[in-house]
Amino acid sequence: MIITTTNSVEGRQIQSYLGIVFGEVISGMDFIKDFTAGLTNFFGGRSGSYEEELLHARETALRELEERAAQLGADAVVGVKMDYEVLGSNNGMLMVTASGTAVTLA
């Protein structure tokens, strides 16, 4: 399946629009990741544990988006957008949402 941020697929014509599809992931950050990220923040550098969690959440959201588009019979998802949000009373949850339009191609 083609997944693209553009509103069209190069060299292909959109035959039908099947609807908007989403993939959502809400992931909790645990104490250990918070602690190690705090040390990284204090001493400088990149937070590998947060980056790994973000990468996993993004891949999962895109996979879920693709699965939902496939259930509709789509050949592609166009206009994909990613959104990131921090949730929870202590900002301990990460939400990643992928959305786009499921289409069939000629």
Side-chain angles (χ1 to χ4, degrees), residues 14-15 39 62 64 71 75 85 104:
I14 293 176
Q15 186 173 26
L39 290 176
L62 285 170
E64 192 173 285
Q71 289 173 356
D75 300 313
E85 189 73 36
T104 59

Side-chain angles (χ1 to χ4, degrees), residues 5 12-13 15 17 21 24-26 46 51 60 95 100:
T5 58
R12 304 284 299 272
Q13 185 176 6
Q15 186 173 26
Y17 293 86
V21 289
E24 304 96 359
V25 174
I26 298 177
R46 295 172 63 167
E51 287 178 1
T60 302
M95 179 176 71

Side-chain angles (χ1 to χ4, degrees), residues 24-30 33-34 49-50 52-58 60 85-88 90-97:
E24 304 96 359
V25 174
I26 298 177
S27 178
M29 301 303 287
D30 63 28
K33 287 181 184 174
D34 283 344
S49 60
Y50 276 3
E52 184 178 317
E53 189 67 34
L54 180 61
L55 175 65
H56 176 71
R58 183 173 49 240
T60 302
E85 189 73 36
V86 179
L87 305 171
N90 63 350
N91 292 331
M93 308 276 299
L94 171 67
M95 179 176 71
V96 178
T97 304

